[in-house]
Amino acid sequence: MSDEKNKDDMLETTTEIRQGHADIGKFNIAIEIILTIICITYLVTHFSAP
């Protein structure tokens, strides 16, 4: 079997949409990085020793 045929077999065809795995977009990566920085900043500022 070729790779292209193998990819088609992994997708499920429904009446609504053709389902499969999607790539993560640049916007989602940026949001994840921003939230991580916010969380680390919060932990450093609120849990540092007095």
Side-chain angles (χ1 to χ4, degrees):
M1 250 194 234
S2 68
D3 289 334
E4 199 65 41
K5 176 67 174 152
N6 206 6
K7 287 181 183 177
D8 288 340
D9 289 343
M10 295 178 71
L11 296 175
E12 178 182 348
T13 304
T14 65
T15 58
E16 307 250 333
I17 57 171
R18 188 171 177 114
Q19 296 179 342
H21 295 288
D23 292 333
I24 298 174
K26 291 181 182 180
F27 179 75
N28 290 345
I29 294 172
I31 294 296
E32 185 175 346
I33 290 170
I34 291 170
L35 290 177
T36 302
I37 292 171
I38 291 171
C39 290
I40 290 172
T41 304
Y42 175 82
L43 289 174
V44 167
T45 57
H46 286 81
F47 292 108
S48 59

